[in-house]
């Protein structure tokens, strides 16, 4: 395997980590809709950290190694339309993803406040925060952007 | 190999898309399942979440990945009689099929584990599901590396 083959393999593995993280967050979004107690909300935190790590490593890996490949391979150029589209979509997905995180962090923060105050029972306010429709919409937009990147990478329109 | 990817005919792209999308869903479900089972610390909700991630997300992902794989393999002519397949394809096939079997075992063990949980018994079978999920994740990393890097 040449260096470029290794970079291509790591680029694809990064994409798997990125999408794997997005799938993980979809499952958590569905699961957290049933959770109204501080303890069970807080118990989700280590799983959220795994998702954040997957999205973080995957996001950085895809863009850095993708740009490397665009420069390293004679057949691709950084100014190719489908590559520019992928970079723009990557930035859009990242922005939506960051806002999704902010939307769901409110529930986690509230859960920690409730627990610190000794309130361990069900909370309607916490349930409402965990069921944020804004968060669902933002994650759907981030997912749609990533799906478009995948389509762009495979179909390479204009290449 | 990268040059081969560049001259891929248009008719291969949709099956490839389904194959890759299915594999990504499979990996996402495994990542969630393994994480939920690992961090559940006896909490029935998270043990069930881990199991259902495998059943409702990983299993459909595996079916989509495997169906897409056969579709694109037939388009590329690897399924024709007498055609010798490259090593990267063999690695992908072996890992996909063995992974499917492991997923099935993990789901059966997990199904019994969830039932025992409902009856107030231990979560030992779900630990088996956790271990198998981690093994599958490792195997799929190797498969993705082989399919993407095409070493031989």
């Amino acid at each position: 395997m040449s260096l470029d083959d290794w970079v291509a393999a790591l680029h694809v593995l990064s994409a798997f980590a990125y999408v794997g993280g997005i799938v993980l967050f979809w499952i958590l979004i569905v699961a957290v809709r049933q959770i109204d107690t501080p303890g069970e909300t807080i118990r989700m935190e280590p799983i959220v950290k795994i998702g954040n790590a997957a999205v973080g490593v995957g996001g950085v890996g895809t863009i850095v190694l993708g740009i490397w490949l665009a420069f390293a391979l004679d057949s691709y150029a950084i100014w190719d339309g489908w590559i520019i589209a992928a970079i723009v979509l990557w930035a859009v997905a990242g922005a939506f993803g960051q806002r999704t995180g902010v939307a769901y962090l409110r529930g986690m923060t509230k859960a920690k406040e409730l627990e610190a105050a000794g309130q361990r029972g069900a909370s309607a306010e916490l349930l409402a925060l965990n069921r944020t429709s804004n968060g669902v919409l933002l994650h759907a937009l981030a997912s749609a952007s990533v799906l478009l990147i995948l389509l762009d990478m495979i179909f390479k329109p204009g290449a | 190999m990268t040059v081969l990817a560049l001259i891929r005919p248009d008719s291969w792209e949709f099956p490839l898309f389904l194959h890759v999308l299915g594999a990504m869903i499979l990996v996402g479900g495994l990542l969630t399942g393994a994480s939920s089972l690992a961090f559940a610390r006896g909490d029935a909700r998270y043990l069930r979440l881990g199991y259902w991630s495998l059943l409702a997300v990983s299993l459909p992902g595996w079916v989509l990945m495997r169906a897409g794989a056969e579709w694109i393999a037939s388009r590329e002519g690897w399924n024709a009689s007498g055609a010798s397949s490259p090593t990267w394809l063999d690695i992908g096939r072996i890992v996909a099929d063995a992974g499917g079997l492991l997923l099935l075992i993990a789901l059966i063990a997990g199904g019994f584990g969830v039932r025992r949980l409902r009856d107030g018994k231990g979560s030992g079978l779900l630990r088996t599901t956790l271990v198998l999920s981690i093994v599958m994740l490792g195997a799929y990393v190797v498969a993705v590396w082989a399919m993407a890097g095409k070493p031989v």
Side-chain angles (χ1 to χ4, degrees):
Chain A
M1 273 174 80
S2 68
L3 176 63
D4 289 341
D5 288 335
W6 271 100
V7 173
L10 291 173
H11 175 64
V12 175
L13 278 169
S14 300
F16 269 77
Y18 195 7
V19 179
I22 286 173
V23 170
L24 179 147
F25 283 123
W26 268 121
I27 296 169
L28 293 190
I29 283 171
V30 172
V32 83
R33 293 182 71 80
Q34 307 296 323
I35 295 177
D36 59 0
T37 60
E40 288 201 314
T41 305
I42 293 167
R43 193 154 295 149
M44 202 169 263
E45 200 170 29
I47 311 171
V48 171
K49 282 181 181 167
I50 297 281
N52 283 338
V55 168
V57 169
V60 172
T62 48
I63 196 76
V64 171
L65 300 173
I67 289 173
W68 170 292
L69 289 169
F71 282 108
L73 302 177
D74 294 338
S75 341
Y76 301 145
I78 193 75
W79 54 83
D80 286 350
W82 66 275
I83 292 179
I84 291 171
I87 293 170
V88 170
L89 284 166
W90 180 89
V92 169
F96 282 133
Q98 191 271 336
R99 283 161 185 253
T100 307
V102 170
Y104 280 98
L105 196 60
R106 290 191 190 109
M108 186 63 74
T109 306
K110 184 70 191 174
K112 286 179 179 172
E113 283 172 7
L114 287 170
E115 192 164 82
Q119 296 176 36
R120 295 192 163 79
S123 160
E125 191 187 354
L126 178 60
L127 183 63
L129 287 171
N130 283 343
R131 287 185 172 181
T132 165
S133 52
N134 191 38
V136 175
L137 175 67
L138 288 165
H139 194 59
L141 290 169
S143 305
S145 307
V146 171
L147 190 64
L148 286 174
I149 296 174
L150 182 60
L151 285 164
D152 183 53
M153 286 286 125
I154 289 177
F155 286 84
K156 295 181 175 53
Chain B
M1 284 303 168
T2 311
V3 174
L4 279 179
L6 280 172
I7 55 169
R8 189 173 60 221
D10 290 349
S11 66
W12 297 4
E13 285 166 352
F14 186 64
L16 178 62
F17 169 69
L18 291 183
H19 173 60
V20 174
L21 183 65
M24 286 174 160
I25 292 170
L26 166 65
V27 167
L30 283 173
L31 188 65
T32 318
S35 306
S36 302
L37 291 168
F39 294 113
R41 290 183 186 146
D43 186 321
R45 182 190 289 274
Y46 284 96
L47 290 169
R48 277 198 298 269
L49 177 66
Y51 175 71
W52 281 98
S53 301
L54 298 181
L55 184 64
V57 180
S58 291
L59 184 61
W62 184 88
V63 171
L64 186 60
M65 177 274 291
R66 199 66 191 85
E70 280 310 305
W71 190 2
I72 192 166
S74 68
R75 286 278 172 92
E76 292 186 36
W78 300 121
N79 289 347
S81 61
S84 66
S85 53
T87 307
W88 59 266
L89 186 62
D90 293 337
I91 294 172
R93 270 205 174 119
I94 290 165
V95 173
D97 291 346
L101 184 64
L102 284 182
L103 182 59
L104 203 62
I105 295 167
L107 287 173
I108 291 167
F112 281 113
V114 167
R115 178 176 282 191
R116 282 172 59 85
L117 214 58
R118 218 169 23 225
D119 298 338
K121 294 174 184 169
S123 58
L125 282 170
L126 285 162
R127 267 198 292 277
T128 307
T129 304
L130 165 63
V131 171
L132 289 174
S133 302
I134 293 169
V135 170
M136 282 185 274
L137 268 176
Y140 286 126
V141 167
V142 174
V144 171
W145 166 79
M147 304 295 282
K150 296 178 175 55
V152 271

